[in-house]
């Protein structure tokens, strides 16, 4: 089934925040962000801005009627700066004016005197100064310290990944409209209506039943609107609460880039030990997460880094420690993969380092150490593994030996172009790591004309979740998709929702929809059974017809619905789903946090232009564990998009903050994202069909985040191509591998290496 939004998207008729017709009298907001990353506010000069024509009011923290706090996990984030500023772009005032232009003109007239304080942008420096968001977390399996002496080879190093701008096509925004009796309705571009509602309630002092947050769809989010859609909604709600007029704020691209957090940059230390057969015996990693100036979702992101620190591999002795480090950057936040990719990059770097030293291809070490069913992850869950199945299928169907031969002969013949190949296995856990969040609800109404309305907590952000939910209802009722409409997401209809995140939205909301539809179906069949005087168990619905013992009778869907209505039987259901089996003990750091894992293996091939340092990806060929896909078109779209986004993170997207904490890559002329020319020429996707995972909706495994991590292979394919040109290049494990870095590495002589990191190769005689 094709995406139910495809027609309106193509025609430009789909409704986003900015397409909502404005109510007469609507005011426009714009935030003034601190020009300094860290300091004490002496004076905020608003007079000149207030003179600007059309300006109605400029809100500061003093105008807040509730509390000045929007922190989700930790209450450490004021909506509007009071006396301190902690990052460049930190909102300190909110201008409300008759027009969008007037609001922005006024923002430019605001002046602030700030006594600057020292700025920290580096997570290791923050850790040295004990600037930690939460105490460090440590995951342990086996006994690493005792295991080193049993290793034949030990390697240590540093691996670094940079941040990533979400660059959702639709920027952040909100539109708050006063309702009767002091209530407020907010349209918001949020992944988390509940969080947006809660933040707006805290700031205004209203109760949650007084603020409704409604979302039709988002023009992309990627995690950037899991927690960071709240501030704008709270500002609009506050202004609307005070002025009793509708207030809208839709951020400009450069405001959005400057004021919002991004993927967390990480700097990490690793130490890996292998035996003589290249089995990984021990692995130790220390992660320094650049959290930015407030907690936001950083503690949860940190946790997922630890969960995924061994990627698809079984390692018997592991110690992984992670620090969430407070710096003076905008608070970093959720981004597709949620810390997982950062953890996986480090183990892949450790393996690549060992391979380069030992003169073997990294894939030899990778393959030998893939986990198997029964192996324990460092957090205690036992793997039900498809890692080897994916890897071996990929090797076979893509004829890797032939690919390698082709690359070798190409590299032997070509002087100025070199190819590199890398394998990238992925193992990603599905569920919110915070067990409590794994719950969802669905509200299903069947109307007397036989049409069906489904409302869930799911947010459609382009990922196709509404199409999948519609498929669920269509399948359970066995009715045509045309009869079903997925309604907008609203806190008045579905309360207390978890964000649409963690790749789990279709599973959680789909299962709730399944339960609601099944309950209504059960009642419909009971009505028919009584009328026809047969057992309910002999009845089923098939293609809009009622079947008795498998034979169609003259009752169709509409008759069935009307019969139930006449009997005063409820045609509505509100169902609640909570993922069974999962649990996690944060004191022991052990448990069974994930409903299941998604596996896959990608082979990535790149060609480097060794004169220019530019590159093109020839192909990404993968075997992906879909379970049993309920929508192959949507799932393919998620995989293609994820791969390209992952490649972008690893190769060209370079976030630059200067030492003063100012974002230099602050627009699309200074921040390069993949375009159609950077998409691999070939993306081959082969489904590994498995039928085991019943916690996935219709056994169709979650597909949102895992494919992004195939992109990590791009970095290692590039290394291999560079080494084919310059075997002595000492390339730091530092992503993104931009064309500039590639060029430097291609012509770097070993002795003049500037990036060289400490390399220790301790061969312990066996
Ligand atoms: N969001 C969250 C996530 O709050 N918890 C998670 O575990 C998670 N995982 C992936 C993406 N978003
Ligand atoms: Mo997310 S990173 O699934 O909001």
């Amino acid at each position: 089934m094709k995406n139910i939004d495809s027609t309106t998207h193509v025609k430009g008729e789909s409704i986003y925040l900015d397409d909502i017709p404005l109510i007469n009298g609507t005011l426009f907001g714009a935030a003034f962000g601190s020009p300094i990353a860290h300091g004490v506010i002496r004076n905020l000069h608003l007079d000149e801005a207030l003179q600007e024509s059309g300006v109605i009011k400029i809100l500061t923290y003093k105008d807040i009627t509730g509390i000045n706090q929007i922190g989700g996990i930790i209450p450490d984030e004021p909506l509007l700066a009071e006396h301190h500023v902690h990052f460049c772009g930190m909102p300190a005032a909110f201008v409300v004016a008759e027009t969008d232009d007037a609001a922005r003109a006024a923002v430019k007239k605001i002046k602030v005197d700030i006594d600057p304080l020292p700025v920290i942008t580096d997570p290791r420096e923050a850790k040295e100064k004990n600037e930690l968001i939460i105490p460090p977390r440590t995951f342990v399996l086996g006994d690493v310290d005792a295991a080193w002496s049993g290793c034949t080879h030990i390697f240590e190093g540093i691996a670094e990944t940079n941040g990533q701008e979400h660059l959702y096509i639709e920027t952040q925004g909100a539109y708050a409209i006063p309702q009767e009796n002091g209530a407020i309705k907010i349209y918001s571009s949020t992944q988390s209506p509940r969080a947006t509602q809660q933040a707006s309630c805290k700031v205004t002092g209203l109760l949650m039943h007084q603020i409704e947050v409604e979302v039709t769809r988002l023009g992309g989010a990627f995690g950037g609107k899991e927690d960071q859609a709240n501030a704008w909604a709270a500002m609009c709600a506050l202004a609307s609460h005070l002025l009793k007029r509708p207030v809208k704020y839709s951020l400009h691209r450069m405001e959005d880039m400057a004021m919002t957090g991004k993927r967390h940059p990480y700097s990490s230390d690793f130490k890996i030990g292998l035996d003589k057969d290249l089995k990984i015996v021990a692995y130790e990693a220390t992660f320094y997460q650049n959290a930015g100036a407030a907690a936001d979702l950083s503690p949860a992101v940190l946790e997922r880094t630890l969960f995924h620190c061994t990627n698809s591999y079984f390692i018997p002795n592991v110690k992984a420690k992670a620090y969430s480090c407070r710096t003076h950057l905008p608070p970093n936040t959720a981004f597709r993969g949620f810390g997982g990719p950062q953890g996986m990059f480090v183990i892949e770097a450790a393996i690549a380092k060992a391979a380069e030293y030992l003169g073997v291809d990294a894939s030899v070490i990778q393959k030998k150490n893939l986990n198997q069913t029964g192996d324990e992850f460092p957090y205690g869950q036992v793997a039900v593994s498809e890692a080897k199945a994916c890897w071996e299928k990929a090797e076979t169907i893509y004829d890797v030996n032939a690919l390698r031969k082709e690359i070798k002969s190409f590299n032997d013949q070509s002087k100025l172009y070199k190819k590199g190949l890398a394998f990238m296995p992925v193992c990603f856990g599905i569920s919110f790591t915070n067990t409590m969040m794994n719950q969802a609800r669905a509200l299903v109404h069947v109307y007397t004309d036989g049409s069906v309305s489904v409302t869930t907590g799911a947010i459609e952000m382009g990922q196709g979740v509404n199409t999948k939910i519609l498929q669920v209802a269509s399948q359970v009722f066995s009715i045509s998709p045309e009869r079903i409409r997925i309604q907008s997401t609203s806190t008045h209809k579905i309360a207390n929702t978890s964000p649409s995140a963690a790749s789990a939205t279709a599973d959680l909301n789909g299962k709730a929809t399944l339960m609601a539809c099944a309950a209504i179906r059960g009642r419909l069949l009971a009505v028919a059974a009584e009328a026809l005087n047969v057992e309910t168990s002999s009845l089923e619905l098939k293609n809009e017809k009622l079947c008795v013992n498998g034979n169609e009778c003259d009752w169709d869907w509409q008759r069935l619905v009307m019969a139930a209505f006449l009997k005063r039987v409820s045609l509505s259901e509100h169902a609640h789903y909570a993922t069974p089996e999962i649990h996690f003990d944060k004191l022991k750091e052990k448990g069974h946090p994930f409903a299941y894992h998604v596996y896959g293996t990608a082979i990535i091939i790149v060609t480097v232009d060794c004169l220019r340092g530019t590159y093109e990806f020839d192909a990404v060929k993968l075997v992906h564990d879909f379970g049993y896909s309920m929508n192959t078109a949507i799932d393919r779209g998620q995989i293609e998009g994820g791969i390209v986004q992952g490649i972008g993170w690893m190769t060209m997207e370079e976030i630059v903050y200067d030492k003063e904490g100012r974002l230099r890559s602050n627009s699309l002329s200074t921040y390069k994202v993949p375009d159609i020319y950077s998409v691999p020429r070939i993306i081959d996707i082969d489904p590994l069909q498995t039928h085991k995972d019943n916690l996935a909706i219709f056994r169709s495994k979650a597909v949102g985040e895992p494919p992004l991590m195939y992109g990590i292979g791009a970095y290692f394919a590039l290394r291999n191509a560079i080494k084919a040109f310059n075997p002595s290049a000492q390339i730091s494990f530092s992503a993104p591998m931009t064309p500039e870095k590639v060029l430097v590495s291609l012509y770097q002589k070993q002795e003049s290496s500037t990036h060289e990191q400490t390399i220790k190769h301790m061969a312990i005689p066996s």
Side-chain angles (χ1 to χ4, degrees):
M1 179 174 177
K2 72 178 180 190
N3 190 316
I4 55 174
D5 279 343
S6 51
T7 306
T8 54
H9 279 3
V10 171
K11 289 183 169 174
E13 290 172 357
S14 299
I15 308 271
Y16 298 89
L17 183 83
D18 237 11
D19 300 310
I20 296 169
L22 295 180
I23 288 174
N24 221 347
T26 293
L27 300 173
F28 297 84
F32 167 78
S34 171
I36 300 276
H38 189 203
V40 177
I41 298 179
R42 285 290 160 233
N43 266 307
L44 189 61
H45 304 281
L46 304 176
D47 300 353
E48 213 185 320
L50 281 165
Q51 300 307 311
E52 195 65 34
S53 86
V55 171
I56 302 283
K57 194 168 171 66
I58 301 180
L59 306 180
T60 67
Y61 74 94
K62 292 178 189 152
D63 297 296
I64 287 174
T65 48
I67 58 168
N68 186 17
Q69 185 51 248
I70 58 164
I73 297 180
I74 298 172
D76 68 347
E77 195 178 352
L79 176 70
L80 296 169
E82 296 187 6
H83 308 297
H84 284 87
V85 289
H86 302 281
F87 63 91
C88 259
M90 179 173 178
F94 186 61
V95 176
V96 187
E98 296 284 359
T99 66
D100 212 10
D101 289 345
R104 289 208 166 76
V107 164
K108 292 206 180 91
K109 298 264 165 77
I110 295 178
K111 302 274 178 313
V112 64
D113 304 325
I114 294 175
D115 293 342
L117 290 166
V119 172
I120 302 175
T121 58
D122 176 63
R124 289 181 190 256
E125 185 188 342
K127 193 254 162 187
E128 281 312 305
K129 301 200 163 129
N130 210 26
E131 287 288 344
L132 298 179
I133 301 275
I134 50 164
R137 304 264 307 260
T138 308
F139 281 21
V140 173
L141 181 69
D143 184 347
V144 168
D145 296 331
W148 299 119
S149 62
C151 297
T152 315
H153 314 285
I154 297 174
F155 304 92
E156 289 181 75
I158 293 173
E160 296 186 309
T161 48
N162 201 342
Q164 185 173 23
E165 168 64 43
H166 300 86
L167 219 90
Y168 22 66
I169 293 179
E170 180 193 30
T171 54
Q172 304 268 5
Y175 183 25
I177 302 167
Q179 310 289 305
E180 274 191 350
N181 300 321
I184 297 175
K185 172 159 186 165
I186 303 173
Y187 294 98
S188 161
S189 183
T190 179
Q191 283 172 262
S192 185
R194 185 202 63 86
T196 301
Q197 176 193 28
Q198 190 179 47
S200 303
C201 286
K202 274 194 203 164
V203 168
T204 54
L206 295 177
L207 297 175
M208 287 175 88
H209 69 211
Q210 291 172 293
I211 292 190
E212 176 188 9
V213 174
E214 182 174 345
V215 184
T216 299
R217 68 167 64 68
L218 315 184
F222 309 111
K225 298 168 182 172
E226 185 178 335
D227 211 50
Q228 300 210 351
N230 303 343
W232 332 108
M235 288 175 199
C236 290
L238 178 67
S240 153
H241 180 58
L242 291 168
L243 301 168
K244 306 293 174 216
R245 285 177 68 178
V247 180
K248 180 177 168 182
Y249 183 23
S250 171
L251 276 69
H252 284 183
R253 180 64 65 187
M254 285 178 79
E255 291 174 320
D256 190 306
M257 289 177 85
M259 292 197 244
T260 64
K262 306 169 196 321
R263 184 188 291 288
H264 294 78
Y266 274 64
S267 181
S268 310
D269 298 324
F270 64 79
K271 182 173 175 185
I272 189 169
L274 302 93
D275 69 12
K276 62 180 187 345
D277 300 323
L278 303 185
K279 278 274 199 186
I280 305 172
V281 176
Y283 179 60
E284 190 168 344
T286 308
F287 300 99
Y288 301 91
Q289 177 199 55
N290 192 333
D296 192 274
L297 292 164
S298 298
V301 172
L302 191 82
E303 183 171 74
R304 201 175 265 280
T305 300
L306 292 172
F307 282 119
H308 295 310
C309 72
T310 56
N311 191 12
S312 290
Y313 309 109
F314 172 65
I315 305 175
N317 302 287
V318 177
K319 185 158 138 194
K321 186 166 190 178
Y323 295 93
S324 183
C325 309
R326 190 185 289 107
T327 60
H328 299 107
L329 300 182
N332 286 313
T333 194
F335 195 136
R336 203 172 191 174
F338 205 73
Q342 291 96 319
M344 289 185 195
F345 181 81
V346 180
I347 181 76
E348 295 301 331
I351 290 173
K353 181 152 196 174
E356 284 165 20
Y357 250 89
L358 298 170
V360 299
D361 194 86
S363 63
V364 175
I365 300 176
Q366 289 173 306
K367 186 179 176 183
K368 272 192 192 202
N369 290 282
L370 292 173
N371 65 20
Q372 287 175 287
T373 296
D375 286 340
E376 188 181 336
F377 290 102
Y379 47 91
Q381 186 159 343
V382 173
V384 179
S385 180
E386 306 293 350
K388 276 190 168 23
C390 290
W391 182 289
E392 281 163 8
K393 191 174 183 198
E395 263 183 345
T396 312
I397 63 171
Y398 299 124
D399 199 349
V400 172
N401 290 333
L403 288 176
R404 286 197 192 281
K405 267 193 207 128
E406 266 171 50
I407 290 172
K408 178 155 191 327
S409 78
F410 178 93
N411 285 350
D412 287 347
Q413 280 163 28
S414 169
K415 265 206 180 116
L416 289 179
Y417 291 87
K418 297 288 183 191
K419 288 186 189 288
L421 176 149
F423 272 78
M424 182 64 204
V426 167
C427 164
F428 195 78
I430 303 301
S431 287
F432 288 95
T433 58
N434 181 355
T435 301
M436 177 279 288
M437 293 170 79
N438 295 284
Q439 51 171 311
R441 282 156 290 279
L443 177 63
V444 177
H445 298 307
V446 178
Y447 296 98
T448 49
D449 66 354
S451 69
V452 175
S453 149
V454 181
T455 309
T456 70
I459 298 291
E460 175 61 56
M461 46 189 147
Q463 84 280 44
V465 67
N466 281 356
T467 305
K468 289 186 173 178
I469 286 173
L470 189 144
Q471 285 180 275
V472 171
S474 166
Q475 216 162 309
V476 177
F477 289 139
S478 197
I479 57 174
S480 155
E482 278 81 56
R483 288 195 188 272
I484 303 163
R485 183 178 153 90
I486 308 297
Q487 308 292 359
S488 61
T489 312
S490 153
T491 54
H492 274 10
K493 290 183 241 162
I494 299 291
N496 310 322
T497 57
S498 288
S500 285
S503 306
T505 314
D507 278 357
L508 295 172
N509 294 279
K511 290 264 186 185
T513 303
L514 175 66
M515 291 167 71
C517 294
I520 295 172
R521 181 187 58 190
R523 291 200 289 268
L524 292 172
L525 295 183
V527 167
E530 197 189 329
L532 299 169
N533 200 16
V534 295
E535 290 294 317
T536 311
S537 59
S538 68
L539 296 177
E540 66 179 321
L541 280 160
K542 230 185 212 163
N543 300 324
E544 309 225 330
K545 289 281 183 338
L546 186 66
C547 296
V548 187
N549 295 317
N551 304 312
E552 266 183 27
C553 71
D554 58 357
W555 284 53
D556 64 4
W557 168 253
Q558 245 155 312
R559 178 164 177 190
L560 191 58
V561 168
M562 193 45 85
F565 182 66
L566 294 174
K567 286 267 176 203
R568 297 185 294 165
V569 168
S570 168
L571 292 171
S572 299
E573 185 77 11
H574 179 258
H576 168 86
Y577 176 74
T579 313
E581 295 169 31
I582 53 173
H583 55 90
F584 193 71
D585 181 340
K586 282 200 189 194
L587 287 176
K588 299 200 178 91
E589 303 284 29
K590 296 283 179 195
H592 186 102
F594 298 121
Y596 57 89
H597 290 83
V598 170
Y599 290 86
T601 293
I603 299 162
I604 298 190
I605 303 170
V606 71
T607 305
V608 172
D609 177 336
C610 301
L611 209 51
R612 300 176 180 83
T614 54
Y615 41 77
E616 266 183 43
F617 288 90
D618 304 14
V620 179
K621 293 165 181 276
L622 58 126
V623 173
H624 182 84
D625 162 28
F626 284 94
Y628 191 80
S629 175
M630 66 185 287
N631 193 316
T632 50
I634 283 173
D635 287 356
R636 167 171 277 274
Q638 285 294 300
I639 290 182
E640 290 178 353
I643 288 172
V644 174
Q645 197 166 39
I647 290 177
W649 175 50
M650 281 286 115
T651 63
M652 67 183 75
E653 297 185 40
E654 192 172 29
I655 297 216
V656 179
Y657 288 99
D658 63 20
K659 289 266 175 254
E660 282 74 48
R662 276 189 301 251
L663 183 67
R664 308 313 297 252
S665 52
N666 66 348
S667 73
L668 290 180
S669 59
T670 47
Y671 185 75
K672 176 88 182 91
V673 287
D675 56 20
I676 191 66
Y677 300 105
S678 20
V679 171
R681 285 165 180 260
I682 298 170
I683 298 182
D684 280 339
I685 302 170
D686 185 82
L688 184 83
Q689 292 200 355
T690 53
H691 299 264
K692 289 179 238 173
D693 289 285
N694 198 28
L695 294 182
I697 181 68
F698 290 159
R699 299 178 195 270
S700 176
K701 286 182 155 189
V703 74
E705 295 171 288
L708 180 127
M709 286 152 272
Y710 294 135
I712 295 172
Y715 171 89
F716 294 93
L718 273 170
R719 274 181 86 86
N720 291 338
I722 295 166
K723 293 256 179 186
F725 183 85
N726 178 10
S728 67
Q730 295 292 335
I731 311 163
S732 61
F733 291 103
S734 169
M737 184 59 99
T738 57
E740 292 88 336
K741 272 198 218 161
V742 172
L743 197 60
V744 168
S745 307
L746 286 166
Y747 295 98
Q748 170 203 68
K749 304 230 172 38
Q750 204 166 4
E751 55 280 7
S752 70
S753 150
T754 47
H755 285 288
E756 195 172 338
Q757 50 194 66
T758 48
I759 298 162
K760 287 183 200 145
H761 178 214
M762 307 185 283
I764 295 166
S766 47

